[in-house]
Amino acid sequence: MSTARAVAAFGFLKRDNARQAIVRAERLNAELIKHADKLFAPFPLDEENKAQRARAVDQRKRALAEWLDAQIARDSNGDETACHVKPCPTLMFVNGAGELDQKHDQDLRDTCVMLLDRAGCDLLTICDITGHSYRSAQTIVKHYRARNADRADSGIDRLELQVRKEGMKS
């Protein structure tokens, strides 16, 4: 999963085959980790001032997104049509502590379990794809699957309607 996440985060260039895309993503991932301290250095975290700290974390997120944009611009020679898959910087995280955080692969694996479940895959197939144990996949599906999908959809529709009404009031 971490390899797929890295390829999606850094993009998949049309000129590359799958192996080249993986090598490029692994190279950029290693480069990012190596240079993260320098990338984030201009945005020091003030432990005492929560508002300043939050601004610094946001600045670090922007710096990360700009770094990722620069990598794809360099590797694609600025050609916006050069990607099979455009980079998805939101798959790279700056956590609340302001650090580069790549510990979200488990979240992506769990999401994959649910997407496969919604696509109609049985649990054994899901386990073969994601590498989860049967018990683990069963727990994830049990935890996240809507007990009554129609009622859940209706609830979301009511929430969206309420949000729209409140937006019109302001």
Side-chain angles (χ1 to χ4, degrees):
M1 287 301 290
S2 62
T3 300
R5 180 194 43 80
V7 169
F10 294 111
F12 191 146
L13 296 168
K14 287 180 182 176
R15 69 172 189 232
D16 292 344
N17 62 34
R19 182 71 196 134
Q20 290 168 321
I22 291 169
V23 168
R24 177 179 170 271
E26 289 173 346
R27 177 183 52 78
L28 289 172
N29 196 44
E31 192 176 314
L32 175 60
I33 291 168
K34 182 178 171 184
H35 298 294
D37 289 340
K38 291 178 191 170
L39 182 65
F40 294 158
F43 313 109
L45 300 172
D46 183 348
E47 299 297 328
E48 303 298 318
N49 184 333
K50 289 184 181 182
Q52 188 279 337
R53 182 182 179 80
R55 281 191 301 277
V57 169
D58 286 342
Q59 290 169 321
R60 286 178 175 203
K61 289 177 184 178
R62 277 192 297 280
L64 175 60
E66 289 170 6
W67 186 88
L68 290 167
D69 287 345
Q71 302 314 305
I72 194 65
R74 181 196 67 208
D75 292 349
S76 67
N77 296 321
D79 180 3
E80 291 185 21
T81 64
C83 293
H84 276 302
V85 176
K86 290 189 178 195
C88 185
T90 57
L91 292 174
M92 302 299 278
F93 301 93
V94 175
N95 64 22
E99 300 164 339
L100 186 61
D101 184 355
Q102 299 191 44
K103 297 179 184 173
H104 295 277
D105 291 342
Q106 186 60 44
D107 296 336
L108 296 173
R109 286 181 73 219
D110 291 358
T111 300
C112 185
V113 167
M114 290 311 302
L115 291 172
L116 291 166
D117 176 69
R118 289 184 189 137
C121 294
D122 61 71
L123 282 175
L124 288 174
T125 301
I126 292 170
C127 294
D128 289 341
I129 294 169
T130 65
H132 282 86
S133 69
Y134 187 85
R135 177 183 237 165
S136 176
Q138 189 174 37
T139 300
I140 293 164
V141 169
K142 181 179 171 184
H143 181 77
Y144 290 108
R145 186 187 289 161
R147 289 181 175 86
N148 181 319
D150 292 334
R151 187 171 54 223
D153 288 342
S154 174
I156 294 298
D157 291 343
R158 287 193 309 269
L159 175 63
E160 288 174 346
L161 181 62
Q162 182 66 33
V163 168
R164 274 190 242 123
K165 283 181 184 177
E166 289 177 7
M168 287 181 207
K169 290 178 185 177
S170 40

